[in-house]
Amino acid sequence: MNFSSSSQPLIALRGVRKSFGAVEVLRGIDIDIRKGEVVAIIGPSGSGKSTILRTINGLTPINEGVITVGEIRVNDPKVDKVKLRHRVGMVFQQYNLFPHKTVLENVAMAPIQVLKQPRPQVEERARKLLGEMRLPDKASSYPGELSGGQQQRVAIARALCMEPEVILFDEVTAALDPEMVKEVLSAVRKVAEDGMTCILVTHEMGFAREAADHIYFTDKGVIVEHAPPADFFARASDPRTKEFLSKVL
Amino acid sequence: MGDLNLFGRLLEWMPFLLKGFGLNILMSVLAITIGTTVGTFLGLGQLSSLRIVGWPSRLATQLFRNAPWLVLLFYCIFLMPYQVSIGGSVIVLPSWLRATIGFSFPVAANFSEIVRGAVNSVPRGQWEAAEALGYRRSATLFRIILPQCITRMIPPWMNLYALLLTATPLSVIVGVEEALGRTQAAVQAMSDSRMLIPIYLSLLAMFFIYTWPINRLSLMLERRFRTK
């Protein structure tokens, strides 16, 4: 066992800055996330939450600062993208399943085509994951035939099938009808309870409070404060946090 | 009795006219084949992030899309050589073949736009999801984006073909003996003004009978793909 690695953060952001044109959306972000932790990033819309998430797997390149995932330096221009995306999975607000592929193909295609793993092995894993997502009989359906909640659970299975070390959840319930939010949240919770490192951007305060180990509050491109949920929701110190919480709780 | 006589004479000339129409079909099939092939490359070229590929592709597309077909036809007829010699053997390029190449330019440019439009109509989230799964840009395009585009491209492609076929009589101006040219020749040979309307009507009917089902099919496919 390697004890030193457990104290090292799996993911570290140091002084991360990002501008879109003249608008600076991230103005010096520092975050440490350890293996197995569940971290929720909350904050008003336009505060840069989703951008933080997208910088971690390199979808959004940064202007300044350092991001590391394990030994991978994400902001290195010569970074091995396949290796990075193997380790960091992502689930999107709009599911983004591939409509021309069956559910099983959606889940299995990237490990087969990108990671070059043998098909039978991947498909077996994909079926098992679909079972865990309570969609065992949907393998040969097309995404268009599923409800939003079911599609999002397929998207979670697709992320898991890459066998990542961390999964980024980008407002995964924001596009869902209310009655489907719960089934997706319980799927996310299951992933977290199985020991996956999870970073969630969410508006579901109740879920953040219950499921997260740590909460980061962002506003206008900076992290205003961060704390374990019990402290965060009971004793937020910054006036911006208090104002936000008074609006959403 | 006179009417029957007119009809009989029309039938007599029919094989001659239909043979001309065969040339319209041949030209249109060849031009759509060349145009689709070249247009695919132009369309993908337009989407390239490489400036050296993207810029010329966009220029060519805009140039040939916005030029009158007839002008492009004249260019090909008068600027292309009448014959080419490849390795000692001389190949004569008949005017119908040069006209076909002339039609291929606007078809390629229009198809280039169909490809670009179809690729751009795929939501950005598809690119992002593929990127997050480790797909490179080219692999995303060929494995994920284009397969979704093909169904979207078929209806406008069929419309383009119908448009092309109805444009092929333009080649009569540069001396190609297609259906319109042969109709004119038949009218002159018969030198009977009563034949004028029936013979031109039958010419119209040929184009309509051939093109109309294509348009219906394209409309049907469009509806089918939209609801999916």
Side-chain angles (χ1 to χ4, degrees):
Chain A
M1 264 217 151
N2 187 350
F3 284 100
S4 68
S5 73
S6 65
S7 61
Q8 281 284 320
L10 174 62
I11 293 159
L13 285 77
R14 289 282 172 278
V16 171
R17 285 175 171 271
K18 172 68 187 176
S19 304
F20 291 111
V23 187
E24 197 169 29
V25 276
L26 300 182
R27 300 184 295 148
I29 299 286
D30 297 286
I31 296 179
D32 282 315
I33 297 159
R34 262 160 259 286
K35 198 164 173 49
E37 263 187 334
V38 177
V39 169
I41 304 173
I42 62 173
S45 44
S47 63
K49 312 181 291 285
S50 288
T51 311
I52 295 176
L53 222 51
R54 299 162 57 92
T55 62
I56 296 172
N57 70 344
L59 276 189
T60 299
I62 59 173
N63 300 122
E64 249 181 76
V66 177
I67 300 174
T68 53
V69 175
E71 79 290 346
I72 303 173
R73 231 180 125 110
V74 179
N75 54 307
D76 182 346
K78 291 194 290 288
V79 67
D80 181 343
K81 289 266 171 70
V82 171
K83 208 167 140 196
L84 173 64
R85 268 107 200 210
H86 188 178
R87 294 182 76 164
V88 185
M90 187 161 190
V91 183
F92 298 86
Q93 181 177 340
Q94 299 292 345
Y95 342 125
N96 296 346
L97 295 179
F98 305 131
H100 60 304
K101 297 279 183 188
T102 64
V103 164
L104 184 68
E105 286 170 323
N106 263 282
V107 177
M109 65 190 280
I112 294 168
Q113 293 174 348
V114 178
L115 304 179
K116 314 285 182 206
Q117 294 173 350
R119 177 178 287 271
Q121 199 182 311
V122 175
E123 287 193 346
E124 193 192 321
R125 187 164 78 227
R127 286 184 194 281
K128 188 168 146 273
L129 288 167
L130 286 173
E132 285 171 17
M133 288 292 130
R134 298 190 296 109
L135 297 162
D137 49 343
K138 298 292 183 194
S140 49
S141 304
Y142 283 88
E145 300 162 0
L146 305 184
S147 73
Q150 290 172 328
Q151 289 192 51
Q152 195 59 296
R153 284 183 282 144
V154 174
I156 295 171
R158 178 172 73 174
L160 285 168
C161 202
M162 291 287 279
E163 301 182 305
E165 288 175 62
V166 52
I167 297 187
L168 314 171
F169 293 91
D170 188 5
E171 302 196 26
V172 292
T173 57
L176 293 172
D177 291 334
E179 71 269 23
M180 291 166 188
V181 169
K182 219 169 137 191
E183 64 182 62
V184 170
L185 288 183
S186 60
V188 175
R189 185 194 300 264
K190 182 174 178 351
V191 173
E193 281 169 359
D194 289 346
M196 178 67 68
T197 311
C198 296
I199 310 176
L200 336 145
V201 165
T202 186
H203 292 294
E204 300 286 335
M205 293 304 141
F207 183 73
R209 192 204 299 247
E210 288 166 50
D213 300 311
H214 216 79
I215 293 189
Y216 282 82
F217 177 75
T218 60
D219 189 27
K220 299 192 174 71
V222 293
I223 286 168
V224 177
E225 61 181 314
H226 63 98
D231 295 341
F232 181 84
F233 286 102
R235 294 185 285 278
S237 52
D238 194 279
R240 284 171 288 182
T241 319
K242 282 182 188 161
E243 193 201 335
F244 177 75
L245 288 177
S246 74
K247 280 182 196 155
V248 297
L249 288 182
Chain B
M1 203 57 210
D3 285 355
L4 210 63
N5 192 25
L6 277 183
F7 188 68
R9 288 178 71 191
L10 196 61
L11 272 185
E12 235 169 68
W13 283 96
M14 220 16 120
F16 177 74
L17 298 185
L18 280 173
K19 227 174 142 192
F21 188 59
L23 189 57
N24 291 76
I25 294 177
L26 177 66
M27 284 195 293
S28 68
V29 169
L30 276 178
I32 194 84
T33 308
I34 301 169
T36 304
T37 311
V38 176
T40 304
F41 285 104
L42 274 183
L44 295 179
Q46 286 201 80
L47 295 159
S48 171
S49 49
L50 285 175
R51 210 180 263 181
I52 194 156
V53 178
W55 204 78
S57 304
R58 278 190 288 276
L59 182 73
T61 300
Q62 289 310 318
L63 204 65
F64 295 125
R65 213 166 78 97
N66 295 310
W69 291 38
L70 191 55
V71 176
L72 293 173
L73 200 60
F74 271 42
Y75 261 81
C76 278
I77 291 290
F78 299 123
L79 294 184
M80 272 176 70
Y82 289 87
Q83 53 190 41
V84 286
S85 52
I86 302 168
S89 63
V90 176
I91 300 167
V92 180
L93 296 177
S95 56
W96 70 265
L97 191 60
R98 279 180 283 140
T100 302
I101 293 167
F103 288 126
S104 302
F105 280 96
V107 171
N110 279 287
F111 193 67
S112 168
E113 281 295 274
I114 290 173
V115 170
R116 191 187 61 84
V119 169
N120 283 343
S121 74
V122 175
R124 238 170 55 100
Q126 294 285 310
W127 287 92
E128 287 184 346
E131 199 184 345
L133 288 167
Y135 283 94
R136 280 172 309 160
R137 221 179 117 82
S138 58
T140 306
L141 183 66
F142 287 105
R143 288 187 188 274
I144 291 158
I145 305 299
L146 283 181
Q148 297 183 48
C149 290
I150 286 168
T151 51
R152 292 172 206 234
M153 290 189 305
I154 288 173
W157 178 77
M158 291 174 75
N159 281 334
L160 180 61
Y161 176 70
L163 206 67
L164 164 65
L165 182 87
T166 54
T168 50
L170 285 175
S171 61
V172 74
I173 300 173
V174 292
V176 177
E177 246 193 78
E178 47 67 73
L180 179 61
R182 288 196 165 205
T183 305
Q184 288 174 338
V187 167
Q188 271 175 11
M190 286 186 280
S191 61
D192 182 350
S193 61
R194 286 176 308 159
M195 285 307 292
L196 216 53
I197 289 174
I199 201 162
Y200 274 104
L201 268 181
S202 58
L203 177 66
L204 273 183
M206 277 178 216
F207 278 92
F208 184 77
I209 290 166
Y210 185 80
T211 316
W212 188 69
I214 297 175
N215 274 324
R216 293 304 299 174
L217 186 63
S218 122
L219 203 68
M220 213 179 73
L221 290 173
E222 200 174 317
R223 282 208 198 101
R224 156 110 45 103
F225 295 142
R226 195 189 300 144
T227 50
K228 196 176 160 190

